Amino acid sequence: MKGIYENDRKIEAVINEKLAHYPPIMTQYFNWLMSTGKTINTAYVYIKALTHYIDCEFTDIVPHDFYKQIDESSITRFLNSLDTSCVLEENEPSNSNKAVKWTALNSFFQYLTPVYVNNNPVEHIARPMVGKVMNSEYLKVNEVTALLNKAQQLNRGKICNRDLSIMML
């Protein structure tokens, strides 16, 4: 359990370092995310997506009330720009990446509404569709047998019954 906690602390430190360069509302949003039960990894992905948007939209100084300047057209422009990417963050632009960024922006504006802004500009933008996941391809019986036999040959005396049982399952 200690390793998981240490990893979470490292991710939290990275997030806090990143948020130090943005308006305080971003830190408040991060704290809100954590209070809603989101994992640190989800919060990291959301913060990364949100800061990517802010960096694309506000190239110079980010105003403290930057969120009041955001409208549907700027979000749509940003999501469309991910095909050509105004800031290359991902290896490949994909609808999956767009959907994550849309979800992060939607979450941010859900946090802001109704205290800081009157409406959520993301709610009227269609969430990018994510394609179907490829069907799994399974090994045939003879391929599984060959795999198990090869594992036993290569690990003579080194493979324990527990490991062999796991492989056989």
Side-chain angles (χ1 to χ4, degrees), residues 16-52:
N16 286 328
E17 183 179 326
K18 189 173 196 72
L19 291 177
H21 305 287
Y22 292 91
I25 194 77
M26 296 289 291
T27 303
Q28 294 169 11
Y29 170 64
F30 168 66
N31 293 331
W32 176 78
L33 276 176
M34 297 310 296
S35 73
T36 62
K38 299 279 191 241
T39 67
I40 192 74
N41 290 325
T42 299
Y44 175 72
V45 169
Y46 282 19
I47 295 296
K48 186 177 172 186
L50 193 53
T51 56
H52 182 195

Short mmCIF file of all heavy atoms in Angstrom, two decimals, residues 16-52:
data_model
loop_
_atom_site.label_atom_id
_atom_site.label_comp_id
_atom_site.label_asym_id
_atom_site.label_seq_id
_atom_site.Cartn_x
_atom_site.Cartn_y
_atom_site.Cartn_z
N ASN A 16 0.52 20.19 -8.40
CA ASN A 16 0.68 21.45 -7.67
C ASN A 16 1.74 22.34 -8.32
O ASN A 16 1.58 23.56 -8.37
CB ASN A 16 1.01 21.18 -6.21
CG ASN A 16 -0.20 20.68 -5.44
OD1 ASN A 16 -1.32 21.05 -5.74
ND2 ASN A 16 0.03 19.83 -4.46
N GLU A 17 2.80 21.73 -8.82
CA GLU A 17 3.84 22.51 -9.50
C GLU A 17 3.28 23.13 -10.78
O GLU A 17 3.54 24.28 -11.08
CB GLU A 17 5.02 21.59 -9.83
CG GLU A 17 6.18 22.31 -10.47
CD GLU A 17 7.35 21.38 -10.76
OE1 GLU A 17 7.56 20.43 -9.98
OE2 GLU A 17 8.02 21.59 -11.78
N LYS A 18 2.49 22.36 -11.50
CA LYS A 18 1.87 22.86 -12.74
C LYS A 18 0.88 23.98 -12.42
O LYS A 18 0.86 25.01 -13.10
CB LYS A 18 1.17 21.70 -13.46
CG LYS A 18 0.67 22.03 -14.84
CD LYS A 18 0.16 20.75 -15.49
CE LYS A 18 -0.01 20.88 -16.97
NZ LYS A 18 1.18 20.93 -17.75
N LEU A 19 0.07 23.79 -11.38
CA LEU A 19 -0.96 24.78 -11.04
C LEU A 19 -0.39 26.08 -10.49
O LEU A 19 -1.08 27.10 -10.49
CB LEU A 19 -1.95 24.17 -10.04
CG LEU A 19 -2.84 23.06 -10.59
CD1 LEU A 19 -3.72 22.50 -9.50
CD2 LEU A 19 -3.66 23.55 -11.77
N ALA A 20 0.84 26.06 -10.04
CA ALA A 20 1.47 27.27 -9.50
C ALA A 20 1.58 28.37 -10.57
O ALA A 20 1.67 29.55 -10.23
CB ALA A 20 2.85 26.94 -8.95
N HIS A 21 1.51 27.98 -11.84
CA HIS A 21 1.64 28.93 -12.94
C HIS A 21 0.29 29.37 -13.50
O HIS A 21 0.24 30.04 -14.54
CB HIS A 21 2.47 28.30 -14.06
CG HIS A 21 3.81 27.82 -13.59
ND1 HIS A 21 4.84 28.67 -13.26
CD2 HIS A 21 4.27 26.57 -13.35
CE1 HIS A 21 5.88 27.97 -12.85
NE2 HIS A 21 5.56 26.69 -12.89
N TYR A 22 -0.78 29.01 -12.84
CA TYR A 22 -2.13 29.32 -13.31
C TYR A 22 -2.91 30.04 -12.21
O TYR A 22 -2.53 29.99 -11.05
CB TYR A 22 -2.85 28.04 -13.74
CG TYR A 22 -2.24 27.43 -14.99
CD1 TYR A 22 -1.22 26.48 -14.90
CD2 TYR A 22 -2.66 27.83 -16.26
CE1 TYR A 22 -0.64 25.94 -16.04
CE2 TYR A 22 -2.09 27.29 -17.39
CZ TYR A 22 -1.08 26.36 -17.28
OH TYR A 22 -0.50 25.84 -18.41
N PRO A 23 -4.02 30.68 -12.57
CA PRO A 23 -4.83 31.38 -11.56
C PRO A 23 -5.31 30.43 -10.44
O PRO A 23 -5.45 29.23 -10.65
CB PRO A 23 -6.02 31.90 -12.38
CG PRO A 23 -5.51 32.04 -13.77
CD PRO A 23 -4.54 30.89 -13.93
N PRO A 24 -5.57 31.00 -9.26
CA PRO A 24 -5.96 30.20 -8.10
C PRO A 24 -7.21 29.34 -8.30
O PRO A 24 -7.37 28.32 -7.64
CB PRO A 24 -6.21 31.25 -7.01
CG PRO A 24 -5.50 32.47 -7.46
CD PRO A 24 -5.42 32.41 -8.94
N ILE A 25 -8.08 29.74 -9.21
CA ILE A 25 -9.31 28.96 -9.45
C ILE A 25 -8.96 27.54 -9.89
O ILE A 25 -9.71 26.59 -9.61
CB ILE A 25 -10.23 29.65 -10.49
CG1 ILE A 25 -11.63 29.04 -10.49
CG2 ILE A 25 -9.63 29.61 -11.88
CD1 ILE A 25 -12.48 29.45 -9.36
N MET A 26 -7.81 27.38 -10.52
CA MET A 26 -7.39 26.04 -10.98
C MET A 26 -7.07 25.14 -9.77
O MET A 26 -7.43 23.97 -9.77
CB MET A 26 -6.17 26.15 -11.89
CG MET A 26 -6.44 26.90 -13.18
SD MET A 26 -7.48 25.96 -14.29
CE MET A 26 -6.34 24.67 -14.73
N THR A 27 -6.42 25.69 -8.76
CA THR A 27 -6.12 24.92 -7.55
C THR A 27 -7.41 24.59 -6.82
O THR A 27 -7.58 23.48 -6.30
CB THR A 27 -5.15 25.70 -6.64
OG1 THR A 27 -3.97 25.98 -7.39
CG2 THR A 27 -4.80 24.92 -5.40
N GLN A 28 -8.33 25.56 -6.79
CA GLN A 28 -9.63 25.31 -6.17
C GLN A 28 -10.36 24.19 -6.90
O GLN A 28 -10.98 23.31 -6.27
CB GLN A 28 -10.47 26.58 -6.17
CG GLN A 28 -9.90 27.68 -5.31
CD GLN A 28 -10.59 29.00 -5.55
OE1 GLN A 28 -11.62 29.08 -6.21
NE2 GLN A 28 -10.00 30.07 -5.01
N TYR A 29 -10.28 24.19 -8.22
CA TYR A 29 -10.91 23.14 -9.03
C TYR A 29 -10.28 21.77 -8.72
O TYR A 29 -10.98 20.78 -8.54
CB TYR A 29 -10.79 23.46 -10.51
CG TYR A 29 -11.18 22.33 -11.44
CD1 TYR A 29 -12.48 21.85 -11.47
CD2 TYR A 29 -10.23 21.74 -12.27
CE1 TYR A 29 -12.83 20.80 -12.31
CE2 TYR A 29 -10.58 20.69 -13.11
CZ TYR A 29 -11.87 20.23 -13.13
OH TYR A 29 -12.22 19.20 -13.95
N PHE A 30 -8.96 21.74 -8.63
CA PHE A 30 -8.26 20.49 -8.29
C PHE A 30 -8.72 19.96 -6.93
O PHE A 30 -9.04 18.78 -6.79
CB PHE A 30 -6.75 20.70 -8.31
CG PHE A 30 -5.98 19.57 -7.71
CD1 PHE A 30 -5.97 18.32 -8.31
CD2 PHE A 30 -5.26 19.74 -6.54
CE1 PHE A 30 -5.26 17.25 -7.74
CE2 PHE A 30 -4.55 18.69 -5.98
CZ PHE A 30 -4.56 17.44 -6.58
N ASN A 31 -8.80 20.84 -5.95
CA ASN A 31 -9.26 20.43 -4.62
C ASN A 31 -10.70 19.92 -4.67
O ASN A 31 -11.05 18.95 -3.99
CB ASN A 31 -9.12 21.58 -3.62
CG ASN A 31 -7.67 21.92 -3.36
OD1 ASN A 31 -6.79 21.06 -3.44
ND2 ASN A 31 -7.41 23.17 -3.05
N TRP A 32 -11.53 20.56 -5.46
CA TRP A 32 -12.91 20.12 -5.63
C TRP A 32 -12.95 18.73 -6.26
O TRP A 32 -13.73 17.87 -5.82
CB TRP A 32 -13.69 21.13 -6.47
CG TRP A 32 -15.09 20.71 -6.78
CD1 TRP A 32 -16.18 20.77 -5.94
CD2 TRP A 32 -15.57 20.16 -8.01
NE1 TRP A 32 -17.29 20.29 -6.60
CE2 TRP A 32 -16.95 19.91 -7.86
CE3 TRP A 32 -14.96 19.86 -9.23
CZ2 TRP A 32 -17.74 19.38 -8.88
CZ3 TRP A 32 -15.74 19.33 -10.24
CH2 TRP A 32 -17.11 19.08 -10.06
N LEU A 33 -12.14 18.52 -7.31
CA LEU A 33 -12.09 17.21 -7.95
C LEU A 33 -11.77 16.12 -6.93
O LEU A 33 -12.41 15.07 -6.90
CB LEU A 33 -11.01 17.17 -9.04
CG LEU A 33 -11.36 17.69 -10.42
CD1 LEU A 33 -10.13 17.66 -11.32
CD2 LEU A 33 -12.49 16.91 -11.04
N MET A 34 -10.77 16.38 -6.10
CA MET A 34 -10.36 15.39 -5.12
C MET A 34 -11.46 15.16 -4.08
O MET A 34 -11.65 14.06 -3.60
CB MET A 34 -9.04 15.80 -4.44
CG MET A 34 -7.86 15.88 -5.41
SD MET A 34 -7.64 14.42 -6.45
CE MET A 34 -7.29 13.18 -5.23
N SER A 35 -12.20 16.21 -3.76
CA SER A 35 -13.28 16.06 -2.76
C SER A 35 -14.48 15.30 -3.30
O SER A 35 -15.29 14.79 -2.53
CB SER A 35 -13.72 17.44 -2.25
OG SER A 35 -14.47 18.11 -3.24
N THR A 36 -14.59 15.22 -4.63
CA THR A 36 -15.71 14.48 -5.22
C THR A 36 -15.41 13.00 -5.40
O THR A 36 -16.24 12.26 -5.92
CB THR A 36 -16.11 15.08 -6.59
OG1 THR A 36 -14.99 14.97 -7.49
CG2 THR A 36 -16.57 16.51 -6.46
N GLY A 37 -14.22 12.58 -4.99
CA GLY A 37 -13.87 11.17 -5.06
C GLY A 37 -13.13 10.76 -6.32
O GLY A 37 -12.91 9.57 -6.54
N LYS A 38 -12.73 11.72 -7.14
CA LYS A 38 -11.94 11.38 -8.32
C LYS A 38 -10.57 10.87 -7.87
O LYS A 38 -10.04 11.31 -6.86
CB LYS A 38 -11.75 12.60 -9.24
CG LYS A 38 -13.03 13.19 -9.77
CD LYS A 38 -13.54 12.40 -10.95
CE LYS A 38 -14.65 13.15 -11.64
NZ LYS A 38 -15.89 12.43 -11.66
N THR A 39 -9.99 9.99 -8.64
CA THR A 39 -8.65 9.51 -8.31
C THR A 39 -7.64 10.58 -8.68
O THR A 39 -7.92 11.47 -9.49
CB THR A 39 -8.31 8.22 -9.07
OG1 THR A 39 -8.22 8.52 -10.47
CG2 THR A 39 -9.33 7.13 -8.82
N ILE A 40 -6.46 10.47 -8.14
CA ILE A 40 -5.40 11.43 -8.44
C ILE A 40 -5.03 11.35 -9.92
O ILE A 40 -4.71 12.37 -10.54
CB ILE A 40 -4.17 11.23 -7.52
CG1 ILE A 40 -3.20 12.42 -7.63
CG2 ILE A 40 -3.46 9.95 -7.82
CD1 ILE A 40 -3.68 13.67 -6.96
N ASN A 41 -5.10 10.16 -10.50
CA ASN A 41 -4.79 10.01 -11.92
C ASN A 41 -5.82 10.72 -12.80
O ASN A 41 -5.48 11.37 -13.78
CB ASN A 41 -4.70 8.54 -12.31
CG ASN A 41 -3.47 7.88 -11.73
OD1 ASN A 41 -2.42 8.49 -11.61
ND2 ASN A 41 -3.61 6.62 -11.35
N THR A 42 -7.10 10.61 -12.43
CA THR A 42 -8.15 11.31 -13.17
C THR A 42 -7.96 12.81 -13.04
O THR A 42 -8.05 13.55 -14.03
CB THR A 42 -9.54 10.90 -12.66
OG1 THR A 42 -9.71 9.50 -12.85
CG2 THR A 42 -10.64 11.66 -13.37
N ALA A 43 -7.68 13.27 -11.83
CA ALA A 43 -7.45 14.70 -11.61
C ALA A 43 -6.27 15.19 -12.45
O ALA A 43 -6.32 16.26 -13.05
CB ALA A 43 -7.21 14.99 -10.13
N TYR A 44 -5.21 14.38 -12.52
CA TYR A 44 -4.04 14.75 -13.30
C TYR A 44 -4.40 14.89 -14.78
O TYR A 44 -4.02 15.86 -15.44
CB TYR A 44 -2.93 13.70 -13.13
CG TYR A 44 -1.73 13.95 -14.00
CD1 TYR A 44 -0.85 15.00 -13.73
CD2 TYR A 44 -1.46 13.15 -15.11
CE1 TYR A 44 0.24 15.24 -14.54
CE2 TYR A 44 -0.38 13.38 -15.91
CZ TYR A 44 0.48 14.43 -15.62
OH TYR A 44 1.56 14.67 -16.44
N VAL A 45 -5.16 13.94 -15.31
CA VAL A 45 -5.57 13.99 -16.71
C VAL A 45 -6.44 15.22 -16.97
O VAL A 45 -6.27 15.92 -17.97
CB VAL A 45 -6.30 12.69 -17.12
CG1 VAL A 45 -6.97 12.82 -18.47
CG2 VAL A 45 -5.32 11.51 -17.10
N TYR A 46 -7.37 15.51 -16.07
CA TYR A 46 -8.24 16.67 -16.22
C TYR A 46 -7.44 17.98 -16.17
O TYR A 46 -7.66 18.88 -16.98
CB TYR A 46 -9.33 16.69 -15.14
CG TYR A 46 -10.49 15.75 -15.38
CD1 TYR A 46 -10.40 14.67 -16.24
CD2 TYR A 46 -11.68 15.94 -14.71
CE1 TYR A 46 -11.47 13.81 -16.44
CE2 TYR A 46 -12.76 15.08 -14.90
CZ TYR A 46 -12.64 14.03 -15.76
OH TYR A 46 -13.71 13.18 -15.95
N ILE A 47 -6.53 18.08 -15.22
CA ILE A 47 -5.72 19.30 -15.10
C ILE A 47 -4.84 19.47 -16.33
O ILE A 47 -4.71 20.57 -16.87
CB ILE A 47 -4.87 19.27 -13.81
CG1 ILE A 47 -5.77 19.30 -12.56
CG2 ILE A 47 -3.84 20.40 -13.78
CD1 ILE A 47 -6.59 20.57 -12.39
N LYS A 48 -4.27 18.39 -16.79
CA LYS A 48 -3.42 18.44 -17.99
C LYS A 48 -4.23 18.89 -19.20
O LYS A 48 -3.78 19.74 -19.98
CB LYS A 48 -2.80 17.06 -18.23
CG LYS A 48 -1.80 17.02 -19.34
CD LYS A 48 -1.18 15.63 -19.45
CE LYS A 48 -0.32 15.53 -20.68
NZ LYS A 48 0.16 14.16 -20.89
N ALA A 49 -5.44 18.37 -19.37
CA ALA A 49 -6.30 18.75 -20.48
C ALA A 49 -6.72 20.21 -20.37
O ALA A 49 -6.71 20.95 -21.36
CB ALA A 49 -7.53 17.85 -20.52
N LEU A 50 -7.06 20.63 -19.18
CA LEU A 50 -7.50 22.01 -18.97
C LEU A 50 -6.37 23.01 -19.20
O LEU A 50 -6.57 24.04 -19.85
CB LEU A 50 -8.06 22.15 -17.56
CG LEU A 50 -8.84 23.41 -17.22
CD1 LEU A 50 -9.96 23.66 -18.21
CD2 LEU A 50 -9.41 23.30 -15.82
N THR A 51 -5.19 22.68 -18.72
CA THR A 51 -4.05 23.59 -18.94
C THR A 51 -3.65 23.60 -20.41
O THR A 51 -3.20 24.63 -20.92
CB THR A 51 -2.85 23.22 -18.06
OG1 THR A 51 -2.48 21.86 -18.28
CG2 THR A 51 -3.15 23.46 -16.59
N HIS A 52 -3.83 22.49 -21.11
CA HIS A 52 -3.59 22.46 -22.56
C HIS A 52 -4.52 23.44 -23.25
O HIS A 52 -4.10 24.23 -24.10
CB HIS A 52 -3.78 21.04 -23.09
CG HIS A 52 -3.51 20.89 -24.55
ND1 HIS A 52 -3.91 19.79 -25.25
CD2 HIS A 52 -2.89 21.67 -25.45
CE1 HIS A 52 -3.56 19.91 -26.51
NE2 HIS A 52 -2.94 21.05 -26.66
#
